[in-house]
Amino acid sequence: MTLDPQADLGRRAWLPCRYCGDNTALYLLDSDVNMIWVQCGRCLRRWWHDTGVGRGRRPEHLFDVA
Ligand SMILES: [Zn+2]
């Protein structure tokens, strides 16, 4: 598995990887309402992460958008 071409160094969040466990750089690949499609920068696995953000709010605030 390789880093997704959509992965952007400017859009990362330090969140626990569901596979690695530790806080690590997750790349924001896509988002839909309160779900974000992320890729772990360490193990390169991808999954939909539920941000728990309420409806109508965009989850991008979690990320440092350059
Ligand atoms: Zn990981």
Side-chain angles (χ1 to χ4, degrees), residues 46-63:
R46 283 172 273 204
W47 69 97
W48 281 100
H49 178 78
D50 185 349
T51 63
V53 177
R55 283 166 58 92
R57 289 178 63 196
R58 304 291 291 172
E60 281 91 346
H61 74 277
L62 282 169
F63 290 83

Side-chain angles (χ1 to χ4, degrees), residues 16-66:
C17 171
R18 89 164 38 170
Y19 302 100
C20 302
D22 298 330
N23 268 16
T24 187
L26 303 185
Y27 292 92
L28 173 63
L29 303 181
D30 203 356
S31 64
D32 182 22
V33 195
N34 63 332
M35 302 292 284
I36 49 177
W37 177 235
V38 292
Q39 181 172 33
C40 176
R42 188 184 298 174
C43 66
L44 302 178
R45 288 186 170 96
R46 283 172 273 204
W47 69 97
W48 281 100
H49 178 78
D50 185 349
T51 63
V53 177
R55 283 166 58 92
R57 289 178 63 196
R58 304 291 291 172
E60 281 91 346
H61 74 277
L62 282 169
F63 290 83
D64 301 321
V65 179

